[in-house]
Amino acid sequence: MYMAGKQLLKSELSFPYDEKYVQVVESIVKTKKGYRCVRCDNEDQQLFASFPCARCGRICTYCRKCIMMGRCSECNPLVIWTGPVPSTSFSSPLKWSGKLSPAQQLASDEVCHAIDRNDSLLVWAVCGAGKTEVLFAGINMALSQGKRVCIAAPRTDVVLELAPRLASVFPSVDMAALYGGSQDRGKLASLTVSTTHQLLRYYRAFDVMIVDEVDAFPYSVDPMLSYAVERARKPTSSLIYLTATPNEQWQSEVKRGKRKAVTIPARYHRRPLPVPTFEWCGNWKKKWRHNRLPSCVVQWVNEHLERNKQAFFFVPYIDFLQQVVPYLQQFHPHIEGVHAEDPKRKEKVLAFRRGQISILVTTTILERGVTVPNIDVAVFGAEQPIFTESALVQIAGRVGRSAQYPTGDIRFFHFGKTKAMLKAKRHIVSMNDEARKRGLIDE
Amino acid sequence: MKCLICHDEWMPTMSFAMLLTLRQADVCCPRCRARFIRLEGNRCERCSRLIDQAVCEDCIAWEKRKSVLKQNVSVYMYNDWMKEVMNRFKFRGDYALIEAFRHDVRTVFSKHFSSDVCLVPIPLSPSRLAERGFNQAEAIASLLPLPMIFALRRIDDEKQSKKTRRERFTGRKFCITGENVAEKRIVIVDDIYTTGATVHEAAKLLYDAGARDISSFTLVRS
């Protein structure tokens, strides 16, 4: 049963398998355009390469796109499980005594409904709405019905955060946490939390597929990942998407009623989302060439240092970050910078949480997940294309998360308003409006 | 074009020098390129280790043991980036990455060795070769326009990287295949020089088989 629900490369198999229940298919196929990788759907010819293969003795073509999951090559076929996938059912495994807000409850009911009917559903919940709790009842029901559940998250850090949380509320359920280098590799559990990449090893395995942060990198830009999700779930299964910032197409599909969705427009603490303010800061690039920052930005920095209020300062590029951090550190040593490839990333974020850093200058990597109470944020160069609507909404979502400090200042310093900035603001305002209408905010 | 390593799009800058010398543009983007650190400056003259002494302690010890390896030349430092790239190249099997090393391998090799040498790549065991599909040492040697002699065969199947320092020094790893190496000048090629146990043992076997003037060349010095 080691193969059940999987698609593995022949070279990965160390045990003999039951041939009755598997199908062996070529992993690299020739198409009109050239080659296609069957495992990851790559058709970009620049991402295929050939080499003199000692295994088949020929010039063998392989896929470079999914190479980190083992090499798919012409002489290394995929072995796909076509037999039955065993199921285990649990009787009400959820051990959680928390209470849902009315909006969460409504969303939770919709999730249950979708899972029960093998439907698809978009849960559109603002940052800090408490999305994870909304899933509990649905997962509980699925596990009671003997369904296999998978939560796919975009990145390893999300898996590492989510897995222990689910393990604590479903203590009796066998779980797998899958990411690059994980101990659970190859496990087929009743409840799986996985990076989307790892799903490339599964085939028609899951009855419930929950995709967290669908709008986030890399899921939003890499078609391989939605392909992996489609192949890993059963043909009859439910598909739940979670996001705070659906893309434009999805937003309009929801409005026109073409996509089933449920919104949670307010935070669990029942206070409105803080709305960003725009502040024109002139041609900052030109100023920076003379080693100067716009005066309104300098003022913002000084104010925060004086009031001793912690803040994130978002900048558009790593290069700029590396120049501006030493410049700001001249004024104050409690300013630090962090970016995606920073080896001290974890330490710096921790130091910020502990209050040892006053202002953390960062690129868009911190737009999600990092939650620190009582902070402000500023976006510098908010007109730059990297700051999309969803990035800006996520950034604004860092502020006012805790019930104790539900407000805060969000400032977009810009050299000309962009559509993305306006849409982001409109997005937040309309969420607040809907919440008011539904009576989800106390004012 | 697409960077060979990070797959991001980048625009190589064209120059007249490139047109005139027909030099190819780099296969990887400047950001990835800058992370490879070439071994330069103060090094042990025998093994390329970065150190302020002329000859390092390890090489003095090798000399006492009467090693016949004249010197080892390596191209890159073994930093975190190199570890990541080597992992993808060797263990994941992304053969195409070899192209990222072509230019530096050729330049460093021709600086240290004459063109009348023969290359002896360090072999893999048949089972490991079947598992990986290629021999990384042979892939590196194939970047150089010089004859290769397959003079060695592996008799021990364990990965060097899975052994302790002590285990690497005891026990034989190779035997001679019988290919003629008599009176030839040999450069042994491998992917990485760590303790040197592998190439020193290979050198001894080749010396006993009649080879003269034996050196080694590795992509990385750890």
Side-chain angles (χ1 to χ4, degrees):
Chain A
M1 274 310 168
Y2 155 83
M3 272 297 291
K6 311 254 179 60
Q7 55 167 1
L8 298 172
L9 290 169
K10 195 161 177 240
S11 63
E12 287 179 289
L13 302 173
S14 41
F15 302 102
Y17 46 83
D18 190 343
E19 286 188 18
K20 201 167 73 188
Y21 288 132
V22 300
Q23 191 188 358
V24 180
V25 300
E26 285 187 324
S27 60
I28 304 287
V29 290
K30 283 203 176 106
T31 63
K32 273 183 208 151
K33 280 191 250 167
Y35 294 98
R36 186 178 90 90
C37 173
V38 174
R39 182 171 63 175
C40 76
D41 205 30
N42 170 31
E43 280 192 276
D44 181 346
Q45 299 306 310
Q46 287 185 72
L47 291 179
F48 287 97
S50 305
F51 73 107
C53 178
R55 208 183 286 156
C56 62
R58 271 182 292 219
I59 298 295
C60 196
T61 300
Y62 69 97
C63 173
R64 299 192 62 223
K65 170 111 193 188
C66 59
I67 187 96
M68 292 313 278
M69 307 292 294
R71 188 175 55 210
C72 268
S73 66
E74 284 177 308
C75 70
N76 195 8
L78 274 173
V79 182
I80 298 176
W81 179 259
T82 52
V85 178
S87 90
T88 339
S89 49
F90 300 81
S91 62
S92 299
L94 179 64
K95 299 282 173 279
W96 185 64
S97 52
K99 228 179 128 33
L100 296 175
S101 72
Q104 279 177 313
Q105 188 62 54
L106 181 74
S108 175
D109 294 346
E110 287 291 326
V111 169
C112 287
H113 199 60
I115 289 174
D116 197 36
R117 305 210 311 188
N118 292 322
D119 240 345
S120 72
L121 178 73
L122 168 68
V123 179
W124 181 357
V126 297
C127 304
K131 269 179 296 179
T132 315
E133 293 83 354
V134 162
L135 301 173
F136 289 170
I139 295 173
N140 185 48
M141 192 188 72
L143 293 170
S144 308
Q145 293 174 355
K147 288 179 170 174
R148 255 173 227 286
V149 180
C150 176
I151 304 180
R155 294 173 313 274
T156 302
D157 43 336
V158 185
V159 173
L160 292 175
E161 201 186 294
L162 211 53
R165 227 173 130 195
L166 288 167
S168 69
V169 296
F170 294 105
S172 59
V173 177
D174 56 312
M175 262 192 72
L178 305 173
Y179 49 91
S182 136
Q183 298 289 315
D184 292 346
R185 179 176 157 179
K187 210 164 138 183
L188 182 69
S190 299
L191 180 55
T192 302
V193 187
S194 172
T195 59
T196 1
H197 285 94
Q198 296 296 322
L199 295 181
L200 288 173
R201 291 215 175 87
Y202 291 82
Y203 184 74
R204 299 190 171 178
F206 303 104
D207 304 279
V208 178
M209 178 67 81
I210 300 166
V211 187
D212 192 13
E213 296 192 26
V214 257
D215 57 297
F217 178 86
Y219 190 86
S220 55
V221 293
D222 194 344
M224 169 177 104
L225 299 175
S226 50
Y227 179 79
V229 164
E230 277 312 311
R231 269 176 88 90
R233 71 190 189 103
K234 286 185 184 165
T236 339
S237 58
S238 49
L239 183 57
I240 315 282
Y241 292 114
L242 300 181
T243 178
T245 46
N247 64 31
E248 224 169 305
Q249 194 195 334
W250 285 31
Q251 285 190 32
S252 85
E253 281 174 20
V254 170
K255 272 179 204 136
R256 286 182 288 135
K258 288 213 165 157
R259 184 178 282 278
K260 262 206 176 157
V262 55
T263 49
I264 310 180
R267 288 182 167 161
Y268 70 94
H269 57 49
R270 303 182 63 85
R271 298 294 297 271
L273 301 168
V275 178
T277 48
F278 298 161
E279 192 161 342
W280 189 80
C281 68
N283 191 346
W284 56 273
K285 279 189 183 167
K286 193 172 160 193
K287 272 228 166 77
W288 183 246
R289 259 179 253 133
H290 303 289
N291 261 319
R292 280 182 12 231
L293 284 173
S295 54
C296 54
V297 175
V298 175
Q299 203 191 337
W300 181 91
V301 171
N302 284 331
E303 260 178 40
H304 279 82
L305 292 171
E306 272 164 32
R307 281 165 47 213
N308 212 1
K309 172 123 188 189
Q310 281 190 297
F312 283 135
F313 187 73
F314 285 88
V315 296
Y317 323 106
I318 294 184
D319 299 352
F320 179 68
L321 179 132
Q322 282 162 342
Q323 293 164 20
V324 84
V325 170
Y327 175 84
L328 289 170
Q329 278 169 339
Q330 291 171 17
F331 303 111
H332 207 285
H334 286 177
I335 297 176
E336 260 297 349
V338 66
H339 57 89
E341 286 146 21
D342 194 334
K344 287 193 186 149
R345 181 173 153 183
K346 272 189 193 145
E347 288 92 324
K348 285 178 181 170
V349 172
L350 194 66
F352 185 79
R353 278 183 203 280
R354 287 192 182 135
Q356 291 153 343
I357 294 172
S358 309
I359 295 178
L360 191 59
V361 185
T362 174
T363 53
T364 50
I365 52 149
L366 289 188
E367 76 190 35
R368 286 161 201 278
V370 179
T371 309
V372 183
N374 198 20
I375 56 158
D376 285 348
V377 300
V379 180
F380 184 60
E383 78 285 352
Q384 294 297 308
I386 185 144
F387 294 118
T388 57
E389 175 191 347
S390 98
L392 291 170
V393 171
Q394 289 285 352
I395 287 171
R398 300 303 100 208
V399 175
R401 292 286 282 260
S402 77
Q404 219 178 340
Y405 306 101
T407 58
D409 184 42
I410 304 158
R411 200 83 61 90
F412 293 170
F413 291 108
H414 65 92
F415 180 43
K417 279 178 232 172
T418 58
K419 271 191 186 150
M421 289 165 62
L422 294 168
K423 273 190 194 154
K425 187 169 177 176
R426 218 177 293 146
H427 186 146
I428 294 166
V429 170
S430 75
M431 279 297 182
N432 281 339
D433 288 347
E434 188 185 333
R436 279 191 193 96
K437 234 181 266 167
R438 284 168 55 182
L440 301 170
I441 289 179
D442 307 323
E443 276 171 305
Chain B
M1 58 192 259
K2 237 190 190 89
C3 169
L4 184 73
I5 302 174
C6 68
H7 300 175
D8 278 353
E9 288 291 333
W10 70 288
M11 278 294 288
T13 43
M14 284 302 201
S15 65
F16 275 112
M18 278 170 73
L19 277 176
L20 292 171
T21 58
L22 293 176
R23 205 182 76 212
Q24 295 282 308
D26 200 348
V27 289
C28 56
C29 69
R31 274 164 55 106
C32 288
R33 177 57 68 198
R35 291 166 154 185
F36 290 112
I37 310 294
R38 283 258 300 267
L39 290 163
E40 269 150 348
N42 290 347
R43 280 166 296 166
C44 167
E45 57 187 48
R46 297 281 167 79
C47 72
S48 290
R49 172 195 266 179
L50 289 171
I51 198 165
D52 281 333
Q53 291 160 269
V55 179
C56 74
E57 302 293 332
D58 282 6
C59 288
I60 294 170
W62 280 118
E63 207 166 331
K64 278 192 192 135
R65 268 177 266 166
K66 304 220 163 14
S67 174
V68 292
L69 188 79
K70 238 176 73 189
Q71 68 161 341
N72 171 68
V73 174
S74 303
V75 185
Y76 300 106
M77 195 157 95
Y78 200 42
N79 53 5
D80 286 344
W81 171 248
M82 196 67 206
K83 261 182 215 161
E84 203 183 310
V85 175
M86 283 301 269
N87 173 44
R88 204 164 113 194
F89 170 59
K90 208 162 114 176
F91 298 119
R92 309 286 167 173
D94 196 356
Y95 187 94
L97 290 176
I98 195 74
E99 285 306 318
F101 310 129
R102 182 183 289 274
H103 181 76
D104 286 344
V105 161
R106 283 189 167 214
T107 319
V108 173
F109 193 92
S110 62
K111 212 187 276 176
H112 289 88
F113 302 107
S114 58
S115 55
D116 61 345
V117 296
C118 293
L119 306 175
V120 175
I122 292 291
L124 290 180
S125 69
S127 65
R128 179 120 310 123
L129 185 62
E131 186 187 311
R132 283 198 194 146
F134 64 87
N135 173 358
Q136 70 276 6
E138 206 180 309
I140 295 162
S142 72
L143 297 175
L144 299 161
L146 293 169
M148 258 188 258
I149 305 177
F150 300 99
L152 300 169
R153 187 182 15 247
R154 195 135 206 150
I155 48 179
D156 144 54
D157 203 24
E158 194 54 49
K159 281 181 194 165
Q160 278 297 90
S161 55
K162 291 270 145 62
K163 288 195 239 172
T164 64
R165 191 179 170 90
R166 186 185 222 119
E167 284 166 346
R168 293 186 194 197
F169 286 96
T170 53
R172 278 185 54 193
K173 292 183 282 286
F174 308 107
C175 65
I176 285 292
T177 56
E179 292 278 338
N180 181 26
V181 289
E183 300 304 319
K184 283 189 173 134
R185 304 182 64 189
I186 298 289
V187 177
I188 301 165
V189 180
D190 203 359
D191 53 348
I192 180 161
Y193 184 110
T194 308
T195 62
T198 305
V199 288
H200 283 275
E201 187 195 328
K204 170 126 201 342
L205 285 168
L206 294 169
Y207 186 83
D208 291 346
R212 293 295 164 260
D213 194 5
I214 306 163
S215 301
S216 68
F217 178 80
T218 70
L219 188 67
V220 187
R221 175 71 175 95
S222 88

